[in-house]
Every structure is written in C-alpha cells, then in structure tokens.
C-alpha cells in the first residue's frame, strides 16, 4: 500500500510517516519511506512517501500509483494529486495554510476552486476540517494525528491501535491524551 | 532484529557495530542525522562524538584517532567535503591505521544544497574507494564493511549515500553493539610525516592500492547480477530500485547488474556481465562514473557490447532520478512505444507557490528588517551566507544580494569593496558559520583595513540543519563557549556592537553606528532560535485599531500574520516576538499571555 502524505513544513508530516512505518515494522511488513527534510521544513511544501508491504523497490512512489493521498492542507493535496492512482483515495484537511506570498498578493490561493476541483476530480475524496477536530481534541498541532485516525479507516495492513501506539511513542507523554482524542475524532470523521 | 531506521541512522548503527571510537561531523543536509544518532547512542557505547567547527577539522580529528589505531568516522554533506579536501587528499597518500570512514551524503536534485556534485567523482580524483548504497539496509552493511576495508587497504574509505538513502526509512536487520576494542596507541614513525620524498613513494603505493581495492570489491556481494537474456541494465545507488520498478511497470525482463562499489570499478563481475550482453543501459544519478569505467573496460577487452547512458543522452547528468525518468529511458533504449499517460485530469486551479521562509518569531526577520531600514538612504550591498538566514533573500525582506558558500559573505564583500569604493558592504553570517569559515576572512578584512560591516546573526544554534551545537555554545560536558564578541575584538575590530534583533530601535541604531564606522565593524545580533525556546506570550490584533493597512505583512512576511476580510489576524504559530507590534502604524498589535 502506497501512501503519499502532503502538507506544509511544521504540520508533523515526518512524524505521521514515521508512525505509519513503525507500525508496519511492528506488523512484520517491509517498509520504505522518503521524506523532505532540511530547507523545505520552514513553511515550505513537504511530502513524505510511505510504502507498506513493498518487498523490493525504492522509497519514492511513482506518479499515478499512490493508493492514498493523505493531505494535511488543500493546496498541497492538489499539488500532489498526480501521485494518486486512478481509483485511489484522497483524505484532505480543508483548512488552508495561506503562504506569505499569498498574503503579499504575489501568488494566488483560490481555496474554494481548489476544494471544488478535488471533489470533482477525485471520486474517492474525503475532505473534512481536521484542524477544527484537532482544536477540539486540545491542540491545533494534533492535526496530523487526526488525519492518521481517519486514515486508519481506509484498510491499513495493521490495526488502528498499533498505529496510534506508534504515534504516541514518538510524542512526549504530556500530549498523549490530546493525541488520543485527536486520533479518535479522526476515526469518527471518516467512518467508511 | 528488524528496526525501522532512516538511512543516516542505519549508517550510525553500522559504525557503532563496527567499533567506531571517534566520530566527528559538521551539520549539513542530508548528512546531519548520522551524528545526531551517534550522539544519542554513542556515549553509552564508549564513542567520542563531536560537532566539529568545520569538516576539515572533523576529518583531521578522525585521522588523529585512526593514527593511534582506533576506528574513526567523519560525516558531512557533499559541499562539506570541499572544505575537508585538503586534509583528505594528503590522507590518501599518508594512509591510515585504524579504519577511517568518511561518510559524504550527496544531494541529487538538489533539495537543500548549492551544488549537485558527485562524491564518487571526488573519490576517483582522490583515489579512494567509494561505496554507494541503494537503501538504508545496504548503507548499514556498507558502513560496517567500510571500516574493515579501510584497515585492509590502509586507506580512508568513502561511503556515499544520497538523499534518498540518507532520508529514506526502511526496516533494517541489525546486530549487537559490541564493546569498543582497546586502542593500540600511536607509534612514532616517519611514515606519518608527509614530505615530498615520502609523497613520491606513497603515490606509487596509492596507485597500486587501486588494484587491490578493485579486487576487494569484486569479492563483495554489493555487486550482483541477475541474468535475463542479452539486453541489460547496469545501475548504482537508489537507481537500482528505480530500474527494478520501471521494468515491472513496463512489463519487461532484462538482465540487471547492480553496482554498489562504483570506484574503483571491479573488473571481473562487470566483464562477466558485459560478455553476456548485446546492449546495455547504464543508470546512475549525477555523473557517469560507472558508465565511463564500463566503456573503458569494454574497449580494452574488445567486448562488442552497445553501451547507452548519459553519453548518448538517454539519461541526464543533472537532477534526481525516479521511476518515471528511468522507465522513459529504458523505453527509449529499447525503442518501445511509451504507453500514453493515464487519463489526464483537467488542469487544476492556480496553486500557491510555497517557498520556505523564516519561521514565525525568527530573529533573522528583525535583523534584516532593521538593517534594510537603517541603510535605506545609502548605497549598500548585502552579502549573505549559508544557513536559515539565506531565506532573507525571499520577499518581502529581499535583504540578500549574494550567497555563494559557507563564509563567502565576508570574502565577497571585500572583493566588492575593492572595486566599488563608494558602496557600503554588509556581510551577514550565522554564529555556527562564523566559526566554520568566517574567521579567516574577518582577519583578512581587519588586516587589509576594509570598510565592511559584518553582521553575526547569532541565534545560539545551528538552526537550518536541526539545532546542532557549535563552538559559541557551552552546552553540557564541561565545554567552553567561545565568545564571538571577544574573538572579534581580539582580531582587531574596533567597532563591535551587540544588540537584540527583536528590539528594532536598538538594532537600527547599532546598524547606523556600524555603517558609519571607518574600518571593519561587527554587529552581533543575538536572540535564540524560536524553535529552541518555548514562547511565553503571543500577539493579537485589536480589530478596533487595525486599519488593514497590512504594513506588518508587507514588511515582515511573518507566517503568523494572516490577512482576512476584516483586517489582519495572528494565528497560533505566533511566538510573541513583537516585531509586528513595533512597526504597526496604529499600535493595533498587543502582547497577551
């Protein structure tokens, strides 16, 4: 199962991909990931490729072959739609992160057009306000865990509890309760 | 035991299992996590680890340990190797005793580098064996092997992961971490003292070692052939997996030779493969290191095999590869009709550009803003350097006119000063970079009496690469913090001013004073990186007072400032630095707990 995680530096994309990969290893599956680290982490576009159960292959998901696009930000979902295979599923958080260039007026951010485009062109597009759920769980920073919770409903090759536990292992204990709630809210948001 | 490891963690693990005793590094993407991991696990295992002041010093320290018979490792990114080259070249002639491994991470793409250079080519230039892993598991195995090979050949050995190995994660089968073996100790011998007469002899020896290395490599399992008929692909590094996957996508079965040891290229396994082939395609990122050796080998042995790759334009010498690029090259190599792309989606709406920028609360934002304001009516060139603050070139600050390499802000400014006497020169450099490469050009500026303002952007860390330590910080372990201000004064700079860049008035005053100075002046702008400090306050906009003039956004470009239909708001990423409050013309921004 190939999962492409897309979003903006600072949203916890690396942590989400690490949690998925750790859960896969715990479940005895071969795993490959490729991450954006370095300059782009400062508010830039970030993608992480996660490949579960792939016996022999590189860490990069080829274009048009991701089973799931997990997008923590709508414009980044649109930017990376080329990775999704025909019939693949997209999970999109609808809260935008407006780049400074857009605030300065030098780049567009047509949020409604982007959301409409995604819904119209991806038959299996599940979009919801994950930021709102993260805030309800106790912190906007738990958005990545809300998304993982939703992802856990899409037939991952390991139990949801395993994914949550691996995510918590990567987080300091003081935020465990918030993230447990975030994961549960994500799961409930996408009961498919 | 299978453990999920990032390539860099796998390299660190391999070194720990191989008995490394001393490990040094200077941070640089994509190499940094090698040392971060060693620092985490090393002390318990008895490994000395440090962030050295630069890569040359890192290699010299590792070499010293190796001279005493200890296994040692220095890790860096490809441009870091450039800094270390002087030491590495001589070390190839002198040789080593304890296994000495240089890990140099290349960055095809490039993702976060000024160049796209290929360390395998450097290995050939320096006549050092190089191992080219294709995945984290192999990076782990190759690192372990590299220490043994180094001791067999008495040569430093280079392990060269690329971004897609260093920053890839995989389940890695690891072994136990044994206790460190005792260090034999340094034995005094003329062999350690490089002299022309010794170099002349050693050059002959070094050339001879190339053949020994070739033979050693031929015996490893890092090169392996899979035969499927007379048409084949030779691939190295991560390209090996792109080839396998591209063949799967195209529904083809071709013979594949995987090369894990690109220099010196082992002859027997390659010759054996070439003899069975009618035509082959060489697939490797960056430079045609394997390809040129294969062509030479085929010519010398009269092997009538057609060879394709970079020289006939089937594959580029620039940029990172992926499955699509490799599949296209294989299809062209075989003159296959490429399947039309999957049903194309309609064109998407215009998408926002999202370049990286300073974090909310970054002190560099204040530094650049204040200097731009202070220099508004002057003819000024801002020379920049390598680090987070390189992003000062981005709008809206646009406060950086040049950026070349570590430390070059000071040197370039001095060159410009020589030919543009009326222009004021301001060279920005970070605290870690100041120690890495800023001191020699500073001394030069003082000695040559250049009118130059050096701005040390001191955020008390090496921020871009993940907050590593540097000589300006004491941290733990009885280390001593080297005071930048005192160093600068001792170099003979007369005007030395320290200010907090979050205090715009004070910083602008410091900038004006420094710009008025006759000789070289230094302004140290010190404020900790917001990623390191937990904010105690936040700012908020009083909607009654905000007139939506957007001065804050247009001047500072802070990601916490968000325009809405009813004026500017401040989002949760705010750290309460208060810069926006200082420039708001209607005092609409206030600090809250």
């Amino acid at each position: 199962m190939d999962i492409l995680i897309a979003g903006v530096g600072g949203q916890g994309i690396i942590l989400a991909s690490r949690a998925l990969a750790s859960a896969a290893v715990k479940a005895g599956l071969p795993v490959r990931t490729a991450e954006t680290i370095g300059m782009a982490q400062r508010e830039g576009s970030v993608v992480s490729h996660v490949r579960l159960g792939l016996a022999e292959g590189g860490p990069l998901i080829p274009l048009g072959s991701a089973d799931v696009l997990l997008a923590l930000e709508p414009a980044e979902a649109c930017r990376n739609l080329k990775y999704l295979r025909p019939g693949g599923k997209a999970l999109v958080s609808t809260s935008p992160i407006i780049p400074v260039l857009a605030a300065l007026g030098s780049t567009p951010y047509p949020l409604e057009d982007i959301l409409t485009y995604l819904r119209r062109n991806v038959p299996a597009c599940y979009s919801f306000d994950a930021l709102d759920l993260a805030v309800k769980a106790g912190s906007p920073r738990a958005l990545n865990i809300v998304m993982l919770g939703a992802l856990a409903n899409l037939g991952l090759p390991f139990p949801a509890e395993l994914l949550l536990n691996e995510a918590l292992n990567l987080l300091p204990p003081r935020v465990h309760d918030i993230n447990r709630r975030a994961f549960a809210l994500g799961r409930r948001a996408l009961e498919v | 035991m299978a453990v999920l490891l990032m390539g860099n963690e796998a390299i660190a693990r391999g070194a720990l299992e191989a008995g490394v005793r001393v490990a040094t590094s200077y941070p640089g993407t994509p190499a940094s996590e090698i040392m971060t991991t060693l620092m985490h696990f090393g002390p318990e295992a008895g490994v000395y680890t440090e962030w050295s002041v630069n890569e040359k010093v890192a290699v010299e320290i590792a070499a010293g340990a190796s001279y005493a018979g200890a296994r040692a490792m220095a890790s860096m990114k490809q441009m870091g190797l450039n800094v270390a080259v002087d030491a590495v070249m001589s070390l190839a002639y002198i040789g080593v005793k304890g296994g000495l491994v240089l890990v140099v991470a290349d960055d095809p793409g490039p993702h976060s580098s000024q160049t796209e250079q290929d360390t395998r080519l450097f290995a050939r230039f320096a006549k050092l064996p190089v191992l080219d892993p294709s995945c984290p598991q192999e990076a782990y195995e190759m690192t372990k092997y590299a220490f043994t090979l180094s001791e067999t050949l008495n040569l430093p050995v280079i392990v060269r992961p690329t971004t897609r190995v260093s920053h890839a994660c995989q389940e890695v089968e690891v072994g136990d971490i044994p206790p460190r073996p005792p260090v034999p100790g340094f034995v005094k011998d003329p062999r350690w003292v490089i002299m022309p007469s010794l170099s002349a002899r050693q050059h002959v020896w070094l050339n001879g070692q190339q053949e020994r290395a070739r033979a050693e490599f031929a015996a490893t399992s890092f090169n392996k052939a899979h035969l499927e008929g007379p048409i084949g692909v030779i691939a190295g590094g991560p390209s090996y997996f792109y080839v396998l996957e591209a063949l799967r996508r195209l529904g083809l079965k071709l013979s594949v030779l995987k090369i894990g040891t690109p220099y010196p290229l082992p002859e027997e396994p390659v010759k054996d493969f070439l003899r069975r082939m009618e035509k082959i395609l060489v697939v490797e990122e960056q430079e045609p290191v394997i390809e040129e050796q294969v062509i030479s080998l085929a010519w010398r042995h009269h092997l009538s095999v057609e060879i394709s790759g970079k020289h006939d334009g089937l594959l580029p010498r620039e940029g990172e590869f992926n499955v699509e690029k490799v599949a296209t090259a294989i299809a062209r190599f075989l003159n296959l009709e490429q399947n039309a792309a999957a049903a194309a989606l309609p064109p998407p709406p215009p998408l926002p550009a999202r370049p990286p920028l300073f974090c909310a609360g970054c002190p560099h934002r204040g530094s650049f803003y204040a200097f731009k304001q202070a220099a508004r009516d002057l003819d000024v060139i801002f020379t920049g350097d390598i680090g987070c603050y390189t992003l000062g070139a981005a709008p809206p600050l646009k406060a950086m006119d040049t950026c070349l390499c570590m430390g070059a802000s000071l040197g370039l400014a001095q060159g410009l000063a020589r030919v543009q006497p009326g222009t004021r020169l301001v060279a920005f450099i970070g605290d870690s970079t100041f120690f890495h490469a800023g001191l020699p050009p500073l001394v030069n500026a003082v000695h040559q009496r250049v009118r130059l303002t050096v701005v040390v952007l001191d955020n008390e860390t090496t921020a871009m690469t993940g907050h590593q330590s540097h000589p300006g910080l004491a941290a733990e372990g009885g280390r001593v913090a080297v005071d930048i201000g005192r160093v600068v004064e001792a170099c003979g700079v007369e005007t030395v001013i320290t200010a907090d860049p979050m205090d715009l008035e004070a910083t602008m005053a410091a900038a004006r004073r420094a710009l008025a100075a006759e000789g070289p002046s230094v302004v140290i702008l010190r404020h900790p990186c917001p990623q390191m400090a937990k904010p105690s306050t936040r700012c908020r906009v009083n909607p009654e007072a905000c007139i939506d003039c957007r001065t804050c956004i247009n001047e500072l470009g802070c990601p916490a400032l968000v325009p809405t239909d009813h004026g500017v708001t401040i989002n949760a990423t705010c750290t309460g630095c208060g810069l926006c409050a200082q420039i708001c013309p209607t005092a609409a921004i206030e600090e809250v707990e």
Side-chain angles (χ1 to χ4, degrees), chain B residues 110-414:
Chain B
H111 296 276
S112 46
S113 304
Q114 305 95 291
T115 66
E116 223 180 347
Q117 67 200 50
D118 190 329
T119 294
R120 299 173 308 155
L121 212 52
F122 174 82
R124 191 166 81 179
F125 172 55
K127 305 181 182 185
L128 294 177
V130 60
L131 294 148
D132 190 9
S134 53
C135 61
Q137 172 76 41
E138 199 173 46
Y140 157 82
E141 288 162 14
M142 282 182 171
T143 305
K144 281 174 84 169
Y145 167 75
F147 284 96
T148 316
L149 180 70
S150 171
E151 284 166 10
T152 306
L153 299 172
N154 298 118
L155 278 178
V157 171
I158 298 176
V159 178
R160 175 256 190 184
T162 60
T163 303
R164 295 305 173 193
V165 173
S166 280
H167 285 170
C169 290
Q170 179 188 356
E171 76 288 357
V172 176
E173 282 294 331
V174 298
D176 294 328
I177 298 174
R180 305 300 92 184
V183 178
F186 180 71
V187 179
K188 294 184 183 184
D189 188 310
R191 74 170 270 208
W192 301 120
V193 185
I194 200 161
M195 292 279 182
S197 62
L198 177 66
S199 311
R201 285 201 305 278
Q202 286 300 102
H203 196 181
V204 177
W205 169 82
L206 179 58
N207 284 339
Q209 292 302 83
Q210 309 303 298
E211 299 318 307
R212 284 193 64 193
R214 219 183 283 285
E216 288 290 330
F217 277 162
T220 68
S221 57
F222 299 130
N223 308 300
K224 57 178 184 202
H226 173 78
L227 295 172
E228 290 277 359
I231 299 173
V233 180
I234 298 182
S239 298
Y240 171 65
F241 289 113
Y242 302 148
V243 167
L244 295 188
E245 216 162 332
L247 291 175
R248 212 155 52 219
R249 283 202 131 190
L250 296 165
L252 295 171
K253 288 203 160 144
L254 300 185
S255 296
V256 179
L257 173 64
K258 175 188 173 299
I259 294 291
T261 65
Y263 181 81
L265 190 72
E267 297 208 346
E268 284 316 315
V270 179
K271 255 170 23 194
D272 190 51
F273 186 77
L274 293 179
R275 275 200 199 97
R276 295 159 190 267
M277 296 297 131
E278 288 166 12
K279 62 183 220 170
I280 60 151
L281 175 71
V282 185
V283 184
E284 60 190 316
E285 283 173 319
Q286 302 184 298
E287 290 298 301
V289 175
I290 298 171
E291 184 175 325
E292 283 175 2
Q293 293 179 92
V294 168
I295 291 171
S296 149
L297 195 67
W299 176 259
R300 283 191 287 117
H301 294 276
H302 309 291
L303 301 172
S304 61
V305 52
E306 273 180 53
I307 300 169
S308 282
K310 296 181 196 280
H311 66 274
D312 55 357
L314 280 192
L315 284 155
R317 287 170 85 136
E318 313 84 9
E320 191 179 33
F321 285 4
N322 53 31
V323 177
E324 291 78 26
K325 275 190 196 175
V326 171
T328 305
I330 292 174
R332 279 182 63 203
F333 169 65
L334 298 173
N335 296 315
L336 294 179
E337 289 275 324
Q338 280 265 73
N339 286 344
L345 291 170
L351 294 177
R354 202 186 290 277
L357 51 87
F358 291 139
C359 304
C362 177
H364 301 331
R365 185 174 283 113
S367 300
F368 283 118
Y369 178 79
F371 257 88
K372 275 197 82 169
Q373 291 297 317
R376 214 169 18 189
D377 302 322
L378 300 172
D379 175 18
V380 179
I381 298 174
F382 291 134
T383 58
D385 223 286
I386 307 294
C388 280
Y389 46 94
T390 310
L391 300 171
L397 290 164
K398 291 190 189 165
M400 191 175 285
D401 302 310
T402 71
C403 181
L404 181 68
C405 64
M406 299 276 285
S409 59
L410 276 77
L412 279 171
Q414 293 173 56

Side-chain angles (χ1 to χ4, degrees), chain B residues 334-576:
Chain B
L334 298 173
N335 296 315
L336 294 179
E337 289 275 324
Q338 280 265 73
N339 286 344
L345 291 170
L351 294 177
R354 202 186 290 277
L357 51 87
F358 291 139
C359 304
C362 177
H364 301 331
R365 185 174 283 113
S367 300
F368 283 118
Y369 178 79
F371 257 88
K372 275 197 82 169
Q373 291 297 317
R376 214 169 18 189
D377 302 322
L378 300 172
D379 175 18
V380 179
I381 298 174
F382 291 134
T383 58
D385 223 286
I386 307 294
C388 280
Y389 46 94
T390 310
L391 300 171
L397 290 164
K398 291 190 189 165
M400 191 175 285
D401 302 310
T402 71
C403 181
L404 181 68
C405 64
M406 299 276 285
S409 59
L410 276 77
L412 279 171
Q414 293 173 56
L416 287 163
R418 292 294 171 202
V419 294
Q420 266 182 244
T423 305
R424 303 288 167 80
L425 280 311
V426 178
F428 291 95
I429 190 165
D431 43 348
S432 186
T433 316
F434 172 78
F435 289 109
H436 178 282
L439 278 168
L442 177 68
V443 170
N444 195 69
V446 173
H447 180 62
Q448 304 289 356
R449 291 183 167 275
V450 185
R451 188 174 191 185
L452 163 73
T453 297
V454 176
V455 185
V456 183
L457 302 167
D458 184 357
N459 60 0
E460 300 177 349
T461 186
T462 317
M464 179 64 98
T465 44
H467 302 105
Q468 293 83 2
S469 168
H470 66 65
L473 311 169
E476 71 285 0
R479 282 181 222 131
V480 174
V482 178
D483 186 303
I484 295 172
R486 287 177 62 196
V487 168
V488 164
E489 278 168 18
C491 288
V493 179
E494 283 166 14
T495 310
V496 182
I497 312 158
T498 301
D500 181 344
M502 293 308 193
D503 181 343
L504 286 179
E505 274 308 318
T507 305
M508 284 191 267
R512 280 191 291 268
R513 225 183 99 202
L515 285 164
E518 281 307 312
S521 54
V522 172
V523 181
I524 301 162
L525 297 179
R526 183 173 296 137
H527 194 97
C529 172
Q531 304 282 350
M532 304 285 281
K534 209 172 150 46
S536 56
T537 59
R538 276 186 53 187
C539 288
R540 65 167 222 116
V541 180
N542 174 358
E544 306 290 304
C546 178
I547 55 166
D548 200 19
C549 68
R550 304 202 180 176
T551 302
C552 53
I553 291 174
N554 294 336
E555 296 289 320
L556 297 175
C558 174
L561 298 165
V562 184
T564 69
D565 295 340
H566 348 275
V568 175
T569 60
I570 295 179
N571 73 21
T573 61
C574 176
T575 65

